[in-house]
Amino acid sequence: LQPGYFVPSPAAKSLPTLSGEVSIRPGEHSIRLHFPKALKVKPRLVVTPHSNPGGFFWVSEVTEKGFVLNLSSEASGEIPFQWMAITD
């Protein structure tokens, strides 16, 4: 792998964001996350696992109120994720 660098544009610094952490528990394959407060528009999401999810992961049912984080198979242990919702 080659190192990469991210340089945000000046506009990116002013984008409204909401972020947090969530974990999928052992034996589960999804979790529904509710935002603390409904957003004005459906957000774009960035989701990062902080341990091996053991397969594919994806988000579904994205709305102004939250989203569902899915795994392709049941979690064998707790899998922590960090997420960021971006609106513009």
Side-chain angles (χ1 to χ4, degrees), residues 1 5-6 8 11 15 21-23 25 30 32 38-39 42 46-47 56-58 61 69 78-80 82-83 86:
L1 294 174
Y5 300 95
F6 172 72
L15 290 176
E21 297 180 359
V22 65
S23 291
R25 296 181 181 161
S30 67
R32 180 175 298 277
L39 304 174
K42 186 166 84 170
V46 177
V47 178
F56 298 106
F57 70 93
W58 68 96
E61 301 180 42
L69 178 56
E78 185 169 318
I79 303 172
Q82 288 184 332
W83 59 269
I86 303 166

Side-chain angles (χ1 to χ4, degrees), residues 3-88:
Y5 300 95
F6 172 72
V7 179
S9 71
K13 293 179 182 178
S14 66
L15 290 176
T17 62
L18 181 65
S19 62
E21 297 180 359
V22 65
S23 291
I24 296 183
R25 296 181 181 161
E28 300 291 327
H29 59 74
S30 67
I31 188 167
R32 180 175 298 277
L33 186 128
H34 299 276
F35 299 137
K37 182 179 178 183
L39 304 174
K40 293 181 181 180
V41 297
K42 186 166 84 170
R44 290 176 285 152
L45 295 166
V46 177
V47 178
T48 305
H50 284 269
S51 67
N52 186 346
F56 298 106
F57 70 93
W58 68 96
V59 295
S60 61
E61 301 180 42
V62 179
T63 71
E64 296 85 355
K65 295 180 181 182
F67 62 94
V68 176
L69 178 56
N70 305 279
L71 297 176
S72 58
S73 58
E74 289 183 356
S76 59
E78 185 169 318
I79 303 172
F81 288 83
Q82 288 184 332
W83 59 269
M84 181 171 52
I86 303 166
T87 61
D88 48 14

